[in-house]
Amino acid sequence: MIRNATAADVPVIHAMILELAEYEKALDEARASEAQLHEALFGERPAAFAFIAQTPQGEPAGFALWFLNFSTWRGVHGIYLEDLYVRPELRGGGYGKALLTELARTCVERGYERLEWSVLNWNEPSIKFYESLGARPQDEWTVYRLTDDALAGLGARE
């Protein structure tokens, strides 16, 4: 039910990214094109990877899009889960757990020591789900982000 994404999956992954952005009340921020996604996942130097969860009928139920990070404290890579999404009508069917299990399996097989992701503070169903699997929030850290004009302005400084 979980498999590596292929180039043929780019349109459905893109569609699910837009569904996720709408769920997270940030559809206007989801600007990546299918071409950009294809390049990131299947270009000459892939920047990210994806798993697809499928229904028993072979229909896409959800996806996990991830990339490698590195821990200077552990001295090894880890996985940063950028997006985990299961279509609303299929939630509760084990697809999210299967995707996270595959990510954890990848970590274990490759000797990675961390699997990390972010969740919106208001997303209680997801928080409860993650905690049921043993994940714990990193409350002592706050995520910061530079984008758009702030990023351009800082990058333009001498």
Side-chain angles (χ1 to χ4, degrees), residues 1 21 38 52 72 84 94-95 121 130 144 155:
M1 297 228 298
H38 185 276
I52 300 289
T72 57
L84 176 72
Y95 298 106
N121 292 333
Y130 298 143
Y144 282 82

Side-chain angles (χ1 to χ4, degrees), residues 1-2 5 13 15 24 46 59-60 69 83 94-95 99-100 102 108-110 112 115 119 139 146:
M1 297 228 298
I2 305 298
I13 293 170
E24 292 184 350
E59 296 299 316
N69 59 15
D83 286 333
Y95 298 106
L99 286 163
L100 281 168
E102 188 62 27
V108 171
E109 288 173 357
R110 296 181 185 183
Y112 303 160
L115 172 55
V119 61
D139 293 336
L146 280 171

Side-chain angles (χ1 to χ4, degrees), residues 13-116:
I13 293 170
H14 186 259
M16 288 191 284
I17 288 170
L18 295 177
E19 291 170 24
L20 174 61
E22 185 173 21
Y23 173 76
E24 292 184 350
K25 303 172 183 130
L27 186 58
D28 60 318
E29 296 178 40
R31 299 184 294 217
S33 68
E34 285 186 25
Q36 288 172 311
L37 188 57
H38 185 276
E39 181 64 25
L41 293 170
F42 303 105
E44 186 176 318
R45 296 176 55 201
F49 309 92
F51 293 133
I52 300 289
Q54 290 181 270
T55 67
Q57 297 77 30
E59 296 299 316
F63 77 102
L65 193 141
W66 54 279
F67 56 88
L68 296 180
N69 59 15
F70 184 81
S71 169
T72 57
W73 289 19
R74 299 281 179 119
V76 296
H77 281 293
I79 286 177
Y80 187 84
L81 175 59
E82 179 65 22
D83 286 333
L84 176 72
Y85 180 74
V86 175
R87 290 195 151 139
E89 67 273 15
L90 298 170
R91 292 181 187 154
Y95 298 106
K97 184 175 183 179
L99 286 163
L100 281 168
T101 298
E102 188 62 27
L103 288 162
R105 182 178 295 116
T106 300
C107 285
V108 171
E109 288 173 357
R110 296 181 185 183
Y112 303 160
E113 294 190 15
R114 289 182 178 167
L115 172 55
E116 296 179 316

